[in-house]
Amino acid sequence: MVNCFMRSYELGTMTVGSHDAEKLTEALGIQNDRFEFVVDLAKDAWDHEETISESIEYLAEQAKRSREDDSVEDITGSELALAFVFFGRIWEDLHEDEE
């Protein structure tokens, strides 16, 4: 059953800037100095919530907040997409450790 009251988010667009890039950050147009920020964002999502869906919503809320609050540095669509990938890897690694 789908919850009709679930929030929805407009999260921007991921940009692939270079198909022959040597680094993932370069391909996605993410500045190298933002890489650790993206990793930390994924870790925060894992640590912050009780369920995977709540963690995913946490990431979405952080991106939304970054667009609405001028005092918070914007999270680009590409950074958010990469944070989701890292979050998935954290979940996968911890899930494998439990088995």
Side-chain angles (χ1 to χ4, degrees), residues 36-77:
E36 286 300 320
F37 166 77
V38 174
V39 171
D40 290 341
L41 183 61
K43 288 177 182 176
D44 289 346
W46 179 261
D47 292 337
H48 185 75
E49 300 295 347
E50 295 293 321
T51 66
I52 291 173
S53 62
E54 288 175 338
S55 293
I56 290 170
E57 188 167 357
Y58 172 83
L59 287 172
E61 287 173 350
Q62 296 308 303
K64 180 181 178 200
R65 184 171 158 252
S66 78
R67 287 173 178 76
E68 294 174 346
D69 187 342
D70 290 339
S71 68
V72 176
E73 191 169 356
D74 280 348
I75 300 170
T76 68

